[in-house]
Structures are given as structure tokens and as C-alpha cells.
Amino acid sequence: MSFSSDVKKELCRTLPSRKCCAQAECYGILLYANRFDGGEARIVTESEDFAARLPLLFKKAFSISFDSVKMPESGKRVFSVFAPDKLYTLSLAFGYDMAETLAHHINFGVLEEDHCRTAFFRGAFLAGGSVTDPNKGYHLELTTTHMSVNRELLTLLAEAEFTAKSATRSGSYMTYFKQSETIADFLTVLGAPLAAMELMNAKAEKDLRGGVNRRVNCDAANLDKAVEAAQTQIEAIRRLAEQMDLADLPPKLAEAAKLRLDNPALTLTELAALCDPPITKSALNHRLKKLGEMVEGREL
């Protein structure tokens, strides 16, 4: 089962308690369904939970039943209303005159209450929405065939403090979110807090893995630099030993040279702790640089 299916399953756990919210959810479903005009209202879904919800929802909202419920070989269920009196009931509830309606618009007047607006969003998602598995990415979209509905949904979402983007795809119109936090908030508002929590947990785990990988890569890069620097220091000291007796060096430089030659794998911090008395990393680094300068001076 996909993450989208899990979300829709969670959204279908309970019916709206208010009739107005049931109607608003049906409104979102119809505007994001496969067809809604004067000839037919057709809803196609592969979600068993949504399929079980539809008859109960339309019964509560309008006291009507579907004229046809089919399940083609594709496995998707097709719910249809085509009786003129039932279509009239649907259009009347949303302020439409199907005989005169050329393009669907969202009737904001029937979505004035926050709970009705939320129900509308839920219906739109159940009929025309999908959300990517958060382990793969962050993307939630609502797709309709009605251009004006898509444009007006952006306004409706903005009123609910959700900023979405819009795009077209194969003759359909898509409203979408890409931010994980926004998707989680939207799912919570729709009524799927468990899915929202799963998304945020997946993001936290992904961020943690990313942070660990960055630290590992950084540590590896620092280790490579430390090893390269140590080899350069050792090479310089060996060249200096070919030119003079290291015991003739000033005591502090002689100590630094011996410690580096005897402990090629240790870091500067570890070498500094072995000095007698212990010194800072910066002080030891200064002494090793001085040795390198002596080699360069003798080779000029």
C-alpha cells in the first residue's frame, strides 16, 4: 500500500458530523472528480476506503444514492450519478445551473466556515490528490480538469495560510506543495495527523543521516589533510637530518623533530601533549614550521 493510500485510509476513518461539512467534502470531491456536468457526476477511485465512504457521505449530505457503481478490470471503482433529479440536487446545493454553466468555479459562499473549507480540501484530496512517500521526497498535489477551480483553490488555500504553487500537466491543472512542513500541516488539517507525524519522522531521520554523512565526510577530509601535513613535516625533518645532526638543533626544535619522526600517525594535538612540558597545538605547529623553513634556507 502506498503512502497516499495510507493517508486516504486515515482520512476515511470517520464521517463529518455536520451536514454542511459533508456537503462541502462532496463539493471538493465533485470538482476534483473525473466528471461533473449536466449529464453525469462520475468519481473513479482505487482506494477501497474512499469507495466505502462515498455512498455514506452522499447519503448524509444529500440523501441520494449513486445510480451506478462499477468495478472494471482495472480494479478502480466507478461511481456515477446521472438521474436528472439527483444532478439537480447536487447543482442546487452549490449554486449551479448546469444548463448555463460553461466552466466550473468554486462557490466561496458555501465555504465560509473554516470547518467547511477544511472538508472541501479533504474531498479534493480524496478525489484528486496524492502525496509522495516521504522517504523518497516531499510532494503533495491536487489535480482537477477545471482551470478556474485550480486558480481559485490557490486563493482558498492562501486564506487558510497555505502557500501552494500551480502547474499544468496533460490538460489537467495541478496545485502542489513541496515543503515538508507545509505538507505535514496540511495533512494534519485534513484529518491525517498520523501520516503527518510519519512524514516529519522520516524527515528527521533523513536530516540526521545527512548530518552524520556530512560530519563523516568532514572528518575524513580533515584526517586526509592531517596525514598529508604529517608526511610533509616528516619529509622536511629527514632532509634536515641529511644536512645536520638534529641533536645540534635548539632543544625545543630538537624535541619537536624527534616527536614527529617517532610518532608519524599522531595529530598535532596529541604530539603537543607529549612535549615536556606539554604545549599547545599552535606552539608545536610553529616549531614544525620553523624546521621546514630551516630546510628551505639550507637548500637555497
Side-chain angles (χ1 to χ4, degrees):
M1 187 176 282
S2 68
F3 185 67
S4 277
S5 298
D6 289 340
V7 172
K8 292 183 179 182
K9 182 181 182 67
E10 186 176 357
L11 292 177
C12 292
R13 289 179 304 175
T14 58
L15 287 173
S17 58
R18 298 181 176 94
K19 182 177 180 179
C20 61
C21 288
Q23 290 182 340
E25 185 172 323
C26 289
Y27 192 21
I29 290 170
L30 290 168
L31 290 181
Y32 280 77
N34 294 73
R35 179 181 176 185
F36 180 39
D37 54 36
E40 182 184 6
R42 183 193 305 148
I43 305 161
V44 180
T45 181
E46 59 184 12
S47 168
E48 294 183 4
D49 300 281
F50 184 36
R53 180 185 185 84
L54 279 170
L56 301 175
L57 188 65
F58 274 72
K59 193 73 172 178
K60 181 178 182 65
F62 309 108
S63 297
I64 66 173
S65 59
F66 288 97
D67 296 317
S68 172
V69 179
K70 297 180 180 179
M71 188 171 179
E73 293 182 1
S74 64
K76 295 181 180 180
R77 292 171 174 80
V78 181
F79 294 80
S80 296
V81 173
F82 43 76
D85 59 326
K86 295 179 181 179
L87 290 173
Y88 176 75
T89 297
L90 296 178
S91 62
L92 185 65
F94 306 130
Y96 291 143
D97 182 345
M98 289 299 191
E100 298 182 0
T101 298
L102 298 178
H104 279 297
H105 291 268
I106 296 176
N107 184 348
F108 288 81
V110 300
L111 302 175
E112 291 181 348
E113 300 294 336
D114 289 346
H115 49 79
C116 290
R117 184 173 56 194
T118 296
F120 177 86
F121 293 153
R122 182 168 55 249
F125 181 82
L126 286 170
S130 65
V131 58
T132 302
D133 184 335
N135 292 302
K136 299 178 181 178
Y138 309 117
H139 182 87
L140 183 149
E141 66 179 58
L142 304 166
T143 305
T144 180
T145 57
H146 309 296
M147 180 177 65
S148 297
V149 170
N150 179 74
R151 183 177 63 248
E152 292 155 2
L153 179 66
L154 294 173
T155 300
L156 203 60
L157 287 167
E159 290 180 359
E161 300 184 351
F162 289 107
T163 301
K165 294 184 178 181
S166 180
T168 58
R169 180 199 296 151
S170 302
S172 295
Y173 304 91
M174 179 179 67
T175 302
Y176 66 94
F177 304 117
K178 285 281 189 188
Q179 299 79 21
S180 58
E181 292 82 1
T182 303
I183 295 173
D185 290 344
F186 188 65
L187 292 178
T188 300
V189 167
L190 292 190
L194 297 180
M197 186 179 298
E198 182 178 344
L199 186 151
M200 294 312 294
N201 286 340
K203 182 179 186 300
E205 184 176 341
K206 188 181 298 183
D207 290 346
L208 179 61
R209 287 199 303 268
V212 170
N213 288 338
R214 284 192 294 273
R215 286 193 294 273
V216 169
N217 291 337
C218 182
D219 289 345
N222 289 337
L223 180 60
D224 289 343
K225 290 180 181 178
V227 170
E228 183 178 347
Q231 292 302 316
T232 299
Q233 294 159 1
I234 291 171
E235 179 62 25
I237 293 170
R238 286 174 177 168
R239 282 158 49 196
L240 184 62
E242 292 174 357
Q243 301 167 11
M244 63 176 294
D245 188 345
L246 296 181
D248 294 336
L249 289 169
K252 293 181 179 179
L253 294 183
E255 180 186 40
K258 185 175 187 310
L259 284 174
R260 175 42 86 200
L261 289 175
D262 293 345
N263 305 280
L266 295 187
T267 65
L268 289 181
T269 300
E270 292 168 334
L271 281 181
L274 295 178
C275 290
D276 186 18
I279 60 175
T280 65
K281 172 184 175 181
S282 177
L284 179 61
N285 189 48
H286 176 75
R287 295 178 186 180
L288 292 172
K289 282 186 176 181
K290 183 66 175 176
L291 291 170
E293 292 170 358
M294 291 178 64
V295 174
E296 293 176 359
R298 287 175 169 272
E299 291 180 345
L300 289 178

